[in-house]
């Protein structure tokens, strides 16, 4: 409201000055004198001084007002991915506190946590994932590998895409599961210690035997939580980012892993 009052005050001053100036010019033309114009200018100067003083007071008042950044909107305080969380040890991070994890591992080192979520075995079946992948409001991908050849199909998938799947060497990925399943949303909120600006979505993948998306570089931090089955992960810093040419996927041409781990149900790899 103070800002609106200040803007209105300045606009009013300009209009007042223009109107009075026009009247003075008409009066000079009719009377042919100068004394009346000089006398009419005095209220203008007085008004400008008053406006300047009021503007200074308004600016001063705005500088003392609390910044809106210090108080988040009520809807964010009621329901958000970054509520005030107790900094207590959690099995999700191997018995570490969120603060200790962010300080020691976040964007610094990888971390393997066994039984990060004890008893977790996923919450989506393959049929449920295929149902989501057939929807046009869900982002999904189907990756198939045949020897050194890779193929990529973007959703929504058709019945023909599913019927043509080989018995092995394919992977289905469904993005934004937290937007379509309450259980996915609840799982993503388990990672609410991560700043909201860096929290993207929950992706669920299903890999047939020998399936995968190939060695690649991620430009973001990833928490890999194993559901049903077991999966081998090879990873490490890559000095050479050269990609295999003429592929639909960004596959590293000279992948040299430094670490290898097999995850079981409930295990986590950061």
């Amino acid at each position: 409201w103070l800002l609106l009052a200040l803007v209105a005050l300045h606009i009013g001053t300009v209009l007042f000055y223009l109107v009075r100036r026009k009247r003075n010019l008409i009066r000079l033309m009719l009377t042919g004198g100068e004394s009346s114009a000089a006398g009419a200018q005095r209220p203008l100067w007085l008004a400008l001084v008053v406006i300047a003083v009021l503007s200074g007071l308004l600016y001063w008042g705005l500088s003392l007002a609390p910044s809106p950044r210090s108080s988040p909107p009520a809807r964010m305080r009621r329901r958000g991915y970054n509520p005030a969380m107790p900094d207590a040890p959690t099995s999700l991070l191997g018995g570490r506190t969120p603060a200790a994890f962010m300080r020691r591992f976040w964007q610094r080192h990888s971390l393997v946590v066994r039984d990060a979520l004890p008893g977790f075995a996923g919450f989506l079946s393959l049929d449920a994932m295929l149902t989501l992948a057939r929807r046009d409001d869900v982002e999904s991908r189907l990756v198939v590998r045949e020897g050194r050849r890779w193929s990529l199909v973007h959703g929504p998938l058709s019945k023909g895409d599913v019927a043509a799947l080989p018995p092995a060497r394919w992977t289905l990925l469904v993005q934004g599961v937290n937007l379509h399943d309450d259980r996915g949303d609840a799982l993503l909120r388990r990672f609410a210690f991560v700043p909201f600006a860096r929290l993207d979505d929950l992706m669920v993948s299903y890999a047939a035997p020998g399936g995968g998306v190939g060695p690649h570089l991620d430009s973001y931090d990833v928490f890999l939580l194993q559901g049903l089955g077991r999966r081998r992960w090879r990873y490490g810093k890559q000095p050479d980012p050269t990609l295999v040419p003429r592929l639909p996927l960004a596959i590293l041409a000279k992948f040299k892993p430094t670490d290898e781990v097999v995850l079981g149900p409930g295990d986590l790899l950061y």
Side-chain angles (χ1 to χ4, degrees):
W1 288 109
L2 288 175
L3 283 174
L4 290 176
L6 183 59
V7 171
L9 198 58
H10 281 292
I11 294 176
T13 303
V14 173
L15 293 176
F16 177 75
Y17 174 76
L18 293 175
V19 171
R20 291 301 298 269
R21 183 180 179 186
K22 184 177 180 180
R23 289 180 179 178
N24 288 338
L25 290 175
I26 295 175
R27 192 176 301 170
L28 283 171
M29 293 174 64
L30 294 176
T31 62
E34 297 182 359
S35 59
S36 60
Q41 296 268 345
R42 294 194 189 100
L44 291 177
W45 285 107
L46 181 60
L48 290 175
V49 171
V50 173
I51 293 298
V53 173
L54 291 177
S55 299
L57 291 175
L58 285 173
Y59 278 122
W60 177 72
L62 288 174
S63 66
L64 296 180
S67 172
R69 297 178 182 178
S70 61
S71 179
R75 61 182 178 83
M76 293 182 64
R77 295 195 299 268
R78 290 195 304 269
R79 178 176 174 84
Y81 281 101
N82 286 137
M85 295 184 62
D87 192 36
T90 171
S91 63
L92 188 65
L93 300 174
R96 300 171 180 83
T97 64
F101 169 81
M102 299 297 287
R103 183 172 56 251
R104 176 71 176 83
F105 293 94
W106 179 254
Q107 296 188 340
R108 292 180 177 87
H109 306 287
S110 59
L111 175 66
V112 177
V113 180
R114 299 296 183 184
D115 286 327
L117 283 183
F120 180 77
F123 58 89
L124 285 181
S125 64
L126 177 58
D127 289 340
M129 290 184 62
L130 289 172
T131 299
L132 286 173
R134 294 190 187 104
R135 290 170 48 175
D136 58 6
D137 62 336
V138 178
E139 182 181 355
S140 61
R141 291 169 292 164
L142 181 62
V143 179
V144 181
R145 179 183 181 184
E146 299 177 3
R148 294 186 177 182
R149 298 176 56 187
W150 296 81
S151 63
L152 172 64
V153 177
H154 289 278
L157 302 182
S158 65
K159 292 183 178 180
D161 295 327
V162 177
L165 287 176
R169 295 184 177 276
W170 58 268
T171 300
L172 174 64
L173 306 103
V174 180
Q175 298 280 163
V177 175
N178 55 295
L179 302 176
H180 307 282
D181 192 294
D182 290 339
R183 295 168 297 178
D185 183 70
L187 179 59
L188 183 62
R189 291 177 186 274
R190 298 289 296 267
F191 297 85
F193 55 87
V194 177
F196 177 74
R198 294 183 178 275
L199 201 59
D200 191 3
D201 72 335
L202 177 69
M203 182 185 74
V204 178
S205 67
Y206 181 95
V213 295
H216 59 279
L217 292 176
D218 281 330
S219 58
Y220 45 84
D221 297 76
V222 181
F223 293 90
L224 299 167
L225 183 63
Q226 182 69 24
L228 287 174
R230 300 169 66 84
R231 190 162 187 173
R232 181 183 66 166
W233 294 93
R234 295 188 297 165
Y235 57 96
K237 293 182 179 181
Q238 300 300 307
D240 189 350
T242 303
L243 302 179
V244 179
R246 297 181 295 278
L247 286 181
L249 298 169
I251 304 295
L252 291 172
K254 300 178 181 179
F255 177 58
K256 297 180 179 179
T258 58
D259 297 274
E260 181 176 323
V261 64
V262 176
L263 299 183
D267 292 345
L268 178 141
L269 169 62
Y270 166 71

